[in-house]
C-alpha cells in the first residue's frame, strides 16, 4: 500500500527553500531512511495525523517526551490554565518549586536541581559544573552515546585508545575536544586505562546509563558499577545523562533500575511533558557551586518558564502511579517478544533490545553491545522495514540508530497490528 503524501511533498519542497534541509533538526528529514518526511498536523493518544490525513500509530512519541501519548488531557488543561496568566516573567514562580520537588522526591541522587531549556543545555552545564567543582578539565564519554550538540560532545575517538578526540563536525575547534576522550561503551578496561594515563586530570565521566541514541543498549554490570567505582576512587564525577531515560524507564530513572547513584544527573524530554525543557541536578555540595550560590556561571532567560513547568508537573503527577510503568513494561515486552517470535519463525535476522518502553531493533543475528556492533548490522534492512511499516501507517523512528518509544496509549490490539504487519513483511521478503 502506498500512502498519499501530496501535501507533505509540497510543504517539504517549500520548507527546503526556507530552512536548511527543510527541517529544524536533521533526523526529521528522513535522509537516513530515504523518502520525504510527513508533515504532522495533530496528535491524539497513540496516533499522529499528517497533512494528507494519514493516521499513523506512533512509536516515536516526539523522540521520547510523550510517555502519556499525544494530547494528554491533563497536560493540555494545565497548559491552558497557566497561559491565562501570561507565559514568562523572568522571575521565580511557584511552579518551579513544584516541579523541582516532584523530581527531587523521585530521583534519589538529586538534592538540588537547576532548570534549563533543553537536554543540550543540561549536559553542557553539568560538564561545566563538574569541571568547576573538581578543578579538572578532561571528560570521558562513550561512542554512540549522544549528549546534545554542544561543541565538547561533537567528537570522535582519537587515533589510539585514551587519546584525545577529533572534531566530528566542521565548526568545532580541535582545542575544545582536546579535553574530551571517547571510549567504547561497555568496555570498563578502557576506562581504567584512561584513568591511569590521565591520573588526577579527569573531571567527569558522562554516560547514557541505558542508551537510546545508538538505539537501545543496556550496560553490562561490570561496566556501570565500574564507572561508579573509578569515579569515586579518582575524585571524578559520574554524570548520568538521563535526558531520555529519566521518568521513562522508571519513576526514579535508569539509576533506580540499575541501582547506581551518579553524582550529577541530566534530564529533559519527559519532565517537560512535550514542551522545551532540560534540567541538571545532584548532591547539594556539588549543586551549590552553581551561581548565584557558587562561582560556576549558568543562566537562562526562559529557564523554568511557567508553561513548561506546568506541563512537566501535570506529566510527573500522572507518572507517580506505579501502574503506569508496569503497564509500559508489559506492553513493550508484548511487542518485543512478538517481533522476536516472528523473526525466528521466518529466520529473519533481528535482535530486539527491549528496556521498559524503549525498544531497539537491529537487523542482525548478532548481539549488540556497543556502537561498533551496530555499524555491522544491516541498515538497508532497517530502512526497508521502516518504509514497509510507514506504508502500513505505523510510524517507527526514521533512523536505524534511534529507539522506539511506547506510550501508555498503545494497547494490545495496536501491537497485534504491528506484529501482523511484520509477519507480512517477512513473508514478502522470502518471495
Ligand atoms: C541522552 C540525551 N542527552 C541529551 C540530548 C539533547 O537534548 P535536546 O535535544 O533537548 O537538546 C538528547 C536528545 O535526544 C538525548 O537523548
Amino acid at each position: 500500500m502506498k500512502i498519499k503524501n501530496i501535501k507533505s511533498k509540497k510543504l517539504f519542497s517549500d520548507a527546503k527553500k526556507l530552512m536548511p534541509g527543510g527541517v529544524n533538526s536533521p533526523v526529521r528529514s528522513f535522509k537516513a531512511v530515504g523518502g520525504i518526511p510527513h508533515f504532522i498536523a495533530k496528535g491524539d493518544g497513540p496516533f499522529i495525523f499528517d497533512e494528507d490525513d494519514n493516521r499513523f500509530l506512533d512509536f516515536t512519541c516526539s523522540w521520547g517526551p510523550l510517555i502519556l501519548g499525544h494530547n494528554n488531557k491533563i497536560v493540555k488543561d494545565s497548559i491552558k490554565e497557566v497561559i491565562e496568566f501570561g507565559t514568562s516573567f523572568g522571575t521565580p514562580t511557584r511552579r518551579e518549586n513544584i516541579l523541582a520537588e516532584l523530581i527531587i522526591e523521585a530521583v534519589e541522587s538529586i538534592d538540588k536541581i537547576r532548570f534549563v531549556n533543553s537536554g543540550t543545555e543540561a549536559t553542557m552545564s553539568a560538564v561545566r559544573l563538574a569541571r568547576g567543582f573538581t578543578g579538572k578539565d578532561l571528560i570521558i564519554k562513550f561512542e554512540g552515546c549522544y549528549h546534545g550538540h554542544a561543541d565538547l560532545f561533537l567528537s570522535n575517538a582519537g587515533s589510539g585508545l585514551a587519546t584525545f578526540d577529533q572534531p566530528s563536525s566542521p565548526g568545532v575547534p580541535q582545542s575544545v575536544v582536546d579535553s574530551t576522550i571517547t571510549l567504547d561503551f561497555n568496555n570498563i578496561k578502557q576506562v581504567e586505562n584512561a584513568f591511569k594515563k590521565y591520573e588526577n586530570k579527569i573531571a567527569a565521566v558522562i554516560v547514557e546509563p541505558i542508551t537510546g541514541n545508538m538505539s537501545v543498549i543496556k550496560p553490562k554490570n561490570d561496566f556501570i558499577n565500574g564507572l561508579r567505582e573509578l569515579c569515586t576512587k579518582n575524585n571524578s564525577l559520574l554524570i548520568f545523562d538521563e535526558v531520555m531515560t529519566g521518568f521513562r524507564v522508571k519513576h526514579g530513572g535508569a539509576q533506580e533500575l540499575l541501582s547506581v547513584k551518579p553524582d550529577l544527573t541530566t534530564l529533559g524530554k519527559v519532565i517537560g511533558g512535550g514542551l522545551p525543557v532540560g534540567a541538571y541536578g545532584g548532591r547539594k555540595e556539588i549543586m551549590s557551586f552553581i551561581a548565584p550560590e557558587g562561582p560556576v556561571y549558568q543562566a537562562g532567560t526562559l529557564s523554568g518558564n511557567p508553561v513548561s513547568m506546568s506541563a512537566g508537573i501535570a506529566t510527573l503527577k500522572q507518572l507517580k502511579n506505579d501502574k503506569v510503568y508496569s503497564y509500559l513494561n508489559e506492553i513493550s515486552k508484548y511487542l518485543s517478544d512478538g517481533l522476536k517470535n516472528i523473526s525466528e519463525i521466518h529466520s529473519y535476522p533481528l535482535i530486539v533490545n527491549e528496556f521498559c518502553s524503549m525498544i531497539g531493533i537491529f537487523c542482525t543475528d548478532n548481539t549488540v553491545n556497543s556502537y561498533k556492533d551496530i555499524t555491522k548490522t544491516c541498515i538497508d534492512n532497517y530502512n526497508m522495514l521502516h518504509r514497509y511499516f510507514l506504508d502500513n501507517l505505523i510510524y517507527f523512528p526514521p533512523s536505524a540508530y534511534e529507539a522506539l518509544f511506547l506510550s501508555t496509549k498503545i494497547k494490545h490490539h495496536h501491537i497485534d497490528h504491528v506484529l501482523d504487519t511484520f509477519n507480512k513483511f517477512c513473508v514478502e521478503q522470502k518471495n
Side-chain angles (χ1 to χ4, degrees), residues 32 36 55 58 60 74 78 126 139 154 163 212 221 248 258 277 295 297 303 364 373 407 417:
I36 63 150
R55 188 188 78 170
D58 181 28
T60 62
I74 299 175
S78 79
I139 298 295
L154 293 187
T163 57
N221 283 342
R248 173 157 275 283
L258 300 168
V277 86
Y297 188 70
S303 294
T364 177
D373 292 340
S407 76
H417 169 54

Side-chain angles (χ1 to χ4, degrees), residues 63 117-121 123 146-149 208 212-213 241-245 266 268-269 277:
W63 301 102
N117 299 293
S118 68
T120 296
E121 263 190 74
T123 53
Y146 176 67
H147 305 294
H149 64 88
E208 282 184 76
N213 286 293
D241 182 355
E242 296 227 42
V243 166
M244 215 175 238
T245 52
T266 55
K269 301 198 188 248
V277 86

